[in-house]
Amino acid sequence: MRSKSQNPINYKLILIGFFLVFLLFLVLRSTFSPSTPQQTQSSSLIHPSNSSEDQENTEDKPSIACPSVPLTQTCNKISPSLSNALVHYATSNVTPQQTIKEIAVSLRVLEKKSPCNFLVFGLGHDSLMWTALNHGGRTVFLEEDKSWIEQIQSQLPNLESHHVVYDTRITQADELMEIGMSNEDCKKVTDPRFSKCQLALKGLPKEVLEIDWDLIMVDAPTGWHDGAPGRMSAIYTAGLIARNKENGETDVFVHDVDRVVEDQFSKAFLCEGYLVEQEGRIRHFNIPSHKARLGRPFCP
């Protein structure tokens, strides 16, 4: 017969044993659990969405196994254009010339229309950004400086750019405005190559003029000194290209509207009636096709 003095010791050993087993169970459970409530909550804060909608999207998209990532069922690779942009801007000390609020104006339209056809007057530090934001679409840049094109292409060979020659000067702006407002040929919606208006750019590449553009950005040519070509012809021609679209509408953006030429020419030839919004130095116009509706006036 065991003495009563040994029983408390046995009970203590049994209780300690149960406690250790329970503790081991909790450790193993937390280790092999695919996610914790805290992780789920954090994820929902970063990417808030409707759970049923997420389930539908997941069912529609094919899943890709990621065996190298523990406890992860699927993985999605970022686009090459986005990865190139991330590396470029992370390793460069240059930034886009537009402010965040100005970029947001174009970004809102791109989010609705991309992938789309995006024509940009100007090749600059923000070109890779526009290409990445229009992933899957076609983004083309028109540049006045041939040496600058070669320099950018050596760094970013995947960008599509074309050289454009401008035969105007800022000092001609008043004269060209008078011609554009008084000459009836400047109010006719025709192919710029065959237009009789002095403002039309007739040397644009054939492939540029044979595409229906969804977005056009005018951020070139140079326009900040008297010897510069100015953006008179670029703004006018952007309006012609938009009106020549077979169907639908074209969103046209003009940057640096704090300057006289950009301000006056965008209002006159892209038309205040088509003006959607202005944020800082950028102005957004939405121009409908004039081919789809014959007899539509040049400006509403």
Side-chain angles (χ1 to χ4, degrees), residues 106-116 133 215 251 284:
S106 310
L107 178 59
R108 284 193 292 270
V109 179
L110 274 171
E111 287 176 339
K112 294 178 182 179
K113 290 192 171 184
S114 66
C116 62
L133 294 175
L215 278 78
D251 291 280
H284 172 203

Side-chain angles (χ1 to χ4, degrees), residues 117 119 138 140 142 160-163 193 204-213:
N117 293 324
L119 180 65
R138 185 175 184 181
V140 178
L142 304 177
E160 183 179 354
S161 55
H162 299 275
H163 181 233
R193 292 171 294 185
L204 292 179
K206 180 181 178 182
E207 55 267 36
V208 170
L209 295 173
E210 293 182 351
I211 294 175
D212 277 349
W213 297 100

Side-chain angles (χ1 to χ4, degrees), residues 40-58 61:
T40 305
Q41 185 178 4
S42 299
S43 177
S44 65
L45 289 174
I46 296 172
H47 301 289
S49 59
N50 184 279
S51 58
S52 61
E53 186 177 328
D54 287 346
Q55 187 176 359
E56 292 177 2
N57 292 337
T58 304
K61 296 179 181 178

Side-chain angles (χ1 to χ4, degrees), residues 129-145:
M129 177 191 69
W130 295 127
T131 302
L133 294 175
N134 188 32
H135 173 64
R138 185 175 184 181
T139 308
V140 178
F141 303 92
L142 304 177
E143 174 57 38
E144 64 191 284
D145 189 341

Side-chain angles (χ1 to χ4, degrees), residues 137-183:
R138 185 175 184 181
T139 308
V140 178
F141 303 92
L142 304 177
E143 174 57 38
E144 64 191 284
D145 189 341
K146 212 168 189 177
S147 61
W148 178 247
I149 293 177
E150 294 171 355
Q151 181 179 337
I152 294 295
Q153 284 184 337
S154 65
Q155 302 171 5
L156 307 168
N158 293 328
L159 294 183
E160 183 179 354
S161 55
H162 299 275
H163 181 233
V164 177
V165 177
Y166 296 90
D167 58 1
T168 57
R169 292 292 177 268
I170 284 288
T171 52
Q172 299 174 282
D174 291 339
E175 177 187 350
L176 290 171
M177 174 62 78
E178 186 177 346
I179 292 172
M181 297 302 291
S182 61
N183 191 336

